[in-house]
Amino acid sequence: MSTTPGQPDAGRLYRRYLSAVMLHGHASAKACDLGATDLYALNVLELSGPMTPGELGARTGLTTGPTTRLIDRLEQAGYVRRVPASDDRRKVIVEPVGKPAGLDQVMAPARQKVGEILAGYSPEQLDVLFDYFDRAARAYEEAADVLRSGV
Amino acid sequence: MSTTPGQPDAGRLYRRYLSAVMLHGHASAKACDLGATDLYALNVLELSGPMTPGELGARTGLTTGPTTRLIDRLEQAGYVRRVPASDDRRKVIVEPVGKPAGLDQVMAPARQKVGEILAGYSPEQLDVLFDYFDRAARAYEEAADVLRSGV
DNA sequence: AGATTTATCTTCTTCAAGGAAGAGAGTAGG
DNA sequence: CCTACTCTCTTCCTTGAAGAAGATAAATCT
């Protein structure tokens, strides 16, 4: 880097990084004809694992009607699958399908680039990075939860 | 899922991190009554700085009509401002407003959390992290550009 | 000066997504 | 066994954003 990595534009650098991540995610979703809520729901499923439509609806802030059709869209596009719950035959479990469809494929180039970047670091440096990823993920999840309940 | 001890699924950890970032961004936008395209446009402006409506429309993949109303929404919400271009009186420059409105305020808790996390690292570790932020930002921007032009 | 091109804005129409209310299926308790 | 409750899915309606075509204003070229 040309300038000192110290304080002056650290915030700006980080914001640029965040913007790029979100921009890429959005462009990926668009490329797959996925709406914003669809992507949101996929992220929820990625984070919290399989859940019922009711819980997914609560997480995404949707009522039951839109939730059903959200799952319909995701199911039809091959991202999730409905499986009957074993304990309660009214319930349905929505789970990400084993072989992810287009989204992962669209995101593959970025993933590979990031993989190459990460491959250039030493094990000690990777420890730092992954320690950060872990902590930051928790922080963002927590903040997102607060926002959800605050609405 | 092959869970190997010692290397506890780095890919999964990273995906969780990405999901959390995007989830939080989305929840923030929702909390501010910002649509997906609006958030996208704000990120574009954050990344590339002030630009004309024409360029913003091209970046967001919108035609001129929706672009005008996109800017209307952002302007009315207090995120951007229209200023006449000095060199061409037909042109308008859309620029983020000096005093950021609700979005930054909503994102403040997460920012603070991340700030606290970063404060716990040594200068050498911070160098690693910011080096990564810089490189990853470029990678994601590049990948997003490819996706945009590929559509 | 007149014609063409560029840039933004306006209007109308279309379409997708979300909210509300209700129906069907299943579980739990008396 | 019968009632009350829960969960999911369906239907209808409304809202909001995007596309298309045209209008206005300004710069550029001949």
Side-chain angles (χ1 to χ4, degrees), chain B residues 137-149:
Chain B
R138 285 181 219 276
Y140 280 116
E141 285 173 37
E142 197 177 321
D145 278 348
V146 171
L147 285 177
R148 259 198 317 119
S149 55

Side-chain angles (χ1 to χ4, degrees), chain B residues 63-140:
Chain B
T63 53
T64 64
T67 300
T68 295
R69 288 183 310 185
L70 163 70
I71 300 171
D72 288 345
R73 289 195 300 270
L74 294 180
E75 191 174 32
Q76 190 159 10
Y79 292 105
V80 303
R81 170 173 54 184
R82 275 187 244 240
V83 293
S86 56
D87 61 331
D88 188 334
R89 277 191 301 180
R90 294 169 305 178
K91 283 188 185 171
V92 171
I93 302 293
V94 182
E95 63 177 25
V97 78
K99 179 68 187 144
L103 188 61
D104 267 26
Q105 198 169 346
V106 165
M107 284 185 163
R111 262 191 236 289
Q112 186 182 349
K113 279 187 217 287
V114 171
E116 288 168 7
I117 291 173
L118 290 178
Y121 292 107
S122 70
E124 294 78 19
Q125 291 173 327
L126 282 180
D127 282 347
V128 174
L129 286 169
F130 276 90
D131 180 65
Y132 167 79
F133 293 151
D134 185 46
R135 292 198 203 187
R138 285 181 219 276
Y140 280 116

Side-chain angles (χ1 to χ4, degrees), chain B residues 34-56:
Chain B
L34 277 175
T37 307
D38 303 34
L39 182 62
Y40 189 96
L42 281 179
N43 277 327
V44 168
L45 286 172
E46 169 77 22
L47 271 180
S48 304
M51 64 184 70
T52 66
E55 183 163 355
L56 185 60

Side-chain angles (χ1 to χ4, degrees), chain A residues 106-120:
Chain A
V106 166
M107 284 186 164
R111 263 192 235 288
Q112 187 181 349
K113 280 186 217 288
V114 170
E116 289 169 6
I117 291 173
L118 290 178

